[in-house]
């Protein structure tokens, strides 16, 4: 009640209202309008963050695109620089043999360290001398078979024909075989100096040493003119042949000289390999790696690299 005795004043307005009515507006029909700064603050902040994040994302994409463009330009410059350098480098043109070039051969490009170039020269001269040796071996076979001689009970016509044919085949095929299997592996080993090349060099010259040993023995049924053939045609009474004996004896000495030459090249190759790699154990390590990688793949890659030029990286 009012102190003045009047009717009690309703503090809620002109009419009686339920104070628990949540729809009640104390300021009449105008209603209460809270400050706009406080309207849905969470939603408003989220909108600001979305817009800000979008702007930051666009800027990051733009910077990334600029970086990619810059890297692409750098790559193009590097590729152009590499191409220009490759054009300036001398090309390894096929120059051997001169009549019909099939490989690039230049001993002058072999490094001089540890007598590598000198050994390559020795190997090349040795190959040319070996071709002459095969020619002499064939001539000795023809002299032995066609020169008038006494009766030889241990040699019949079939053996003589086989002797001539095999000596001719050796001259034709042996020259190229020795070049590519022995000398070429030596040349590439001295030029590149890695383990696979030296492995092929050791195998190639091991075969050459065995071939020269067979030449010294002089098994004429296999086309070799040497000691055994000289013994067979040794002149004794009306048997044998003095020219055949002399030719085969000389060829036995020649084959022995080549045996010594190939052994010397083989030993010098081992010394150069040890000077380059420090130890022959590098071959064992390389062989172990290749076995682990697969024998078939390893052998094919080594052989392909040897005859196609391959990589010049040292192993």
């Amino acid at each position: 009640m009012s102190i003045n005795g009047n009717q009690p004043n309703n503090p809620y307005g002109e009419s009686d209202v339920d104070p628990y009515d949540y729809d009640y507006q104390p300021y009449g029909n105008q209603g209460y309008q809270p400050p706009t700064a406080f309207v849905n603050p969470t939603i408003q902040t989220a909108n600001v963050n979305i817009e800000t994040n979008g702007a930051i994302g666009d800027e990051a994409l733009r910077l990334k695109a600029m970086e990619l463009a810059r890297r692409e330009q750098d790559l193009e410059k590097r590729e152009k620089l590499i191409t220009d350098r490759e054009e300036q480098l001398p090309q390894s043109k096929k120059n051997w043999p001169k009549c019909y070039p099939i490989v690039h051969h230049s001993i002058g490009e072999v490094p001089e360290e540890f007598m590598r170039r000198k050994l390559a020269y020795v190997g090349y001269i040795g190959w040319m001398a070996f071709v002459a040796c095969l020619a002499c071996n064939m001539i000795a076979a023809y002299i032995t078979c066609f020169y008038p001689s006494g009766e030889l009970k241990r040699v019949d016509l079939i053996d003589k024909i086989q002797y001539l044919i095999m000596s001719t085949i050796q001259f034709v095929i042996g020259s190229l075989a020795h070049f590519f299997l022995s000398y070429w592996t030596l040349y590439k080993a001295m030029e590149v100096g890695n383990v696979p090349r030296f492995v092929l060099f050791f195998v190639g010259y091991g075969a050459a040493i065995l071939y020269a040993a067979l030449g010294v023995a002089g098994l004429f049924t296999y086309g070799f003119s040497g000691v055994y053939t000289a013994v067979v045609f040794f002149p004794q009474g009306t048997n044998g042949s003095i020219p055949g004996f002399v030719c085969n004896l000389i060829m036995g000495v020649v084959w022995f000289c080549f045996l010594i030459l190939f052994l010397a090249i083989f030993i010098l190759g081992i010394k150069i390999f040890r000077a380059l790699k420090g130890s022959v154990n590098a071959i064992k390590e390389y062989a172990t790696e290749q076995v682990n990688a697969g024998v078939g793949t390893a052998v094919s890659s080594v052989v392909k690299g040897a005859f196609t030029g391959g990589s010049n990286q040292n192993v």
Side-chain angles (χ1 to χ4, degrees):
M1 296 182 64
S2 173
I3 300 176
N4 297 328
N6 297 328
Q7 293 181 353
N9 296 325
N10 186 356
Y12 297 102
E14 297 178 353
S15 60
D16 295 336
V17 295
D18 184 359
Y20 299 102
D21 185 3
Y22 293 99
D23 294 332
Y24 170 68
Q25 298 179 358
Y27 296 99
N29 295 332
Q30 296 178 356
Y32 173 73
Q33 300 292 333
T36 56
F38 298 99
V39 175
N40 297 328
T42 304
I43 298 175
Q44 187 178 26
T45 304
N47 293 334
V48 172
N49 290 337
I50 290 173
E51 294 176 358
T52 305
N53 292 337
I56 294 175
D58 293 340
E59 182 67 17
L61 290 175
R62 188 179 66 84
L63 294 175
K64 189 173 183 179
M66 293 176 62
E67 179 68 16
L68 291 175
R70 185 184 65 81
R71 291 183 180 181
E72 185 177 356
Q73 292 179 356
D74 292 342
L75 288 175
E76 291 178 355
K77 290 181 180 179
R78 291 180 181 179
E79 290 177 357
K80 184 178 179 181
L81 181 61
I82 292 173
T83 303
D84 294 339
R85 289 181 177 179
E86 289 179 351
E87 292 178 353
Q88 294 176 359
L89 292 175
Q91 299 295 326
S92 299
K93 295 182 179 180
K94 297 178 180 180
N95 59 356
W96 192 95
K98 292 184 178 180
C99 58
Y100 186 77
I102 57 176
V103 293
H104 175 75
H105 178 257
S106 177
I107 300 179
E109 298 176 0
V110 177
E112 295 183 355
E113 60 176 353
F114 307 123
M115 298 177 59
R116 292 162 66 179
R117 184 180 297 179
K118 291 182 179 179
L119 188 60
Y121 274 118
V122 171
Y124 187 66
I125 295 173
W127 169 75
M128 291 188 292
F130 184 77
V131 174
C133 174
L134 292 177
C136 292
N137 181 80
M138 181 181 65
I139 294 173
Y142 279 84
I143 292 175
T144 302
C145 293
F146 288 102
Y147 192 86
S149 60
E151 182 180 357
L152 295 173
K153 296 181 180 179
R154 290 173 293 179
V155 180
D156 55 15
L157 182 60
I158 299 300
D159 293 333
K160 289 184 178 181
I161 294 175
Q162 184 178 354
Y163 183 22
L164 294 174
I165 293 175
M166 293 300 296
S167 62
T168 305
I169 292 175
Q170 285 190 37
F171 172 71
V172 175
I173 299 179
S175 303
L176 293 176
H178 181 73
F179 180 87
F180 288 105
L181 297 180
S182 297
Y183 167 69
W184 188 254
T185 56
L186 165 66
Y187 166 71
K188 298 305 291 185
M190 297 301 108
E191 180 187 31
V192 180
N194 59 15
V195 175
R197 308 286 187 176
F198 272 96
V199 170
L200 291 175
F201 157 66
F202 293 140
V203 173
Y205 261 84
I209 292 170
L210 179 61
Y211 191 87
L214 292 174
V216 174
L219 301 176
F220 68 91
T221 53
Y222 295 98
F224 293 101
S225 299
V227 175
Y228 177 73
T229 310
V231 171
V232 171
F233 287 88
F234 181 77
Q236 185 177 4
T238 58
N239 296 328
S241 170
I242 295 177
F245 170 76
V246 173
C247 290
N248 284 277
L249 188 62
I250 293 175
M251 285 306 305
V253 175
V254 172
W255 281 116
F256 182 76
C257 293
F258 274 97
L259 178 62
I260 299 301
L261 174 64
F262 294 156
L263 281 172
I265 293 175
F266 190 87
I267 294 172
L268 289 174
I270 293 176
K271 290 185 177 181
I272 293 174
F273 179 80
R274 294 183 65 181
L276 291 173
K277 303 302 177 183
S279 173
V280 184
N281 291 330
I283 296 178
K284 296 180 180 179
E285 297 174 358
Y286 174 77
T288 303
E289 293 177 359
Q290 297 305 316
V291 169
N292 294 333
V295 177
T297 305
V299 172
S300 62
S301 62
V302 170
V303 174
K304 182 179 179 181
F307 294 102
T308 58
S311 174
N312 289 342
Q313 290 181 343
N314 292 339
V315 177

